[in-house]
Amino acid sequence: DADVTQTPRNRITKTGKRIMLECSQTKGHDRMYWYRQDPGLGLRLIYYSFDVKDINKGEISDGYSVSRQAQAKFSLSLESAIPNQTALYFCATSESDKGAGNTIYFGEGSWLTVV
Amino acid sequence: EDQVTQSPEALRLQEGESSSLNCSYTVSGLRGLFWYRQDPGKGPEFLFTLYSAGEEKEKERLKATLTKKESFLHITAPKPEDSATYLCAVLSVRSWGKLQFGAGTQVVVTP
């Protein structure tokens, strides 16, 4: 079983609909992230959470919201989906900073298509 | 602002033809440089972390090196299964635990 599990893996939705992507992890990490990947643009950070009570915006948070339900669960919502939110979304986790740089581990990704 | 630039964007190799990928970075105090491998439609898979100039790490046919301005990922005698996109990312003292990723180099190794 994957350490970082994303659901759904694939979703097609219509413009204006609300959609939630869920992420759960069994690594016991405190930190969780949501990234978006578009061809030629690399991975861009949407939101991140360093513990259950901490939520922070990343570089492209407009149009998205998140909820950290527990240490192991971090969900991403698109309140009113639009076509340019069509992308591959990744959840990721890492340990709390040990002082020398922390490795981020990724889930398998969720393909979202907005039509 | 931290910046990461990877080159080339794409690389096509014959099996056994060694080559290198480049990751140039501009950061305010490097805390770590990370290499990931990503297969199509999959999540990035962690390969290496380098922390200081002069450091090298190896894994099978891959070797990563680091200088004060760039990192190289050397692929020695590649096989078709080394075909993937290789991502570089940096962590700086100002990034508060967040990685800044490059756009990646897509490598195709043909038999």
Side-chain angles (χ1 to χ4, degrees), chain A residues 27-62:
Chain A
K27 298 184 77 68
H29 289 168
D30 289 325
R31 299 181 173 191
M32 298 188 73
Y33 310 79
W34 275 104
Y35 283 89
R36 167 179 173 159
Q37 189 172 42
D38 299 275
L41 294 179
L43 285 157
R44 294 182 292 168
L45 184 62
I46 306 172
Y47 270 95
Y48 61 102
S49 169
F50 282 179
D51 64 43
V52 175
K53 296 180 181 180
D54 176 76
I55 302 288
N56 302 281
K57 293 182 178 180
E59 57 182 301
I60 55 162
S61 59
D62 288 348

Side-chain angles (χ1 to χ4, degrees), chain B residues 96-109:
Chain B
W96 295 97
K98 308 187 304 290
L99 293 183
Q100 179 70 38
F101 281 86
T105 294
Q106 183 180 25
V107 175
V108 174
V109 182

Side-chain angles (χ1 to χ4, degrees), chain A residues 9 31 33 35 37 40 42-43 45 48 50 59 88 90 97 99-108 111, chain B residues 31-32 34 36 38 40-46 49 51 87 91 95-104:
Chain A
R9 296 292 314 280
R31 299 181 173 191
Y33 310 79
Y35 283 89
Q37 189 172 42
L43 285 157
L45 184 62
Y48 61 102
F50 282 179
E59 57 182 301
L88 181 56
F90 289 105
D97 199 334
N102 48 328
T103 299
I104 290 182
Y105 298 92
F106 288 84
E108 288 294 291
W111 283 99
Chain B
R31 297 187 66 195
F34 301 76
Y36 288 82
Q38 185 176 22
K42 299 285 186 69
E45 175 188 345
F46 171 71
T49 308
Y51 296 108
L87 301 171
L91 183 69
S95 65
W96 295 97
K98 308 187 304 290
L99 293 183
Q100 179 70 38
F101 281 86

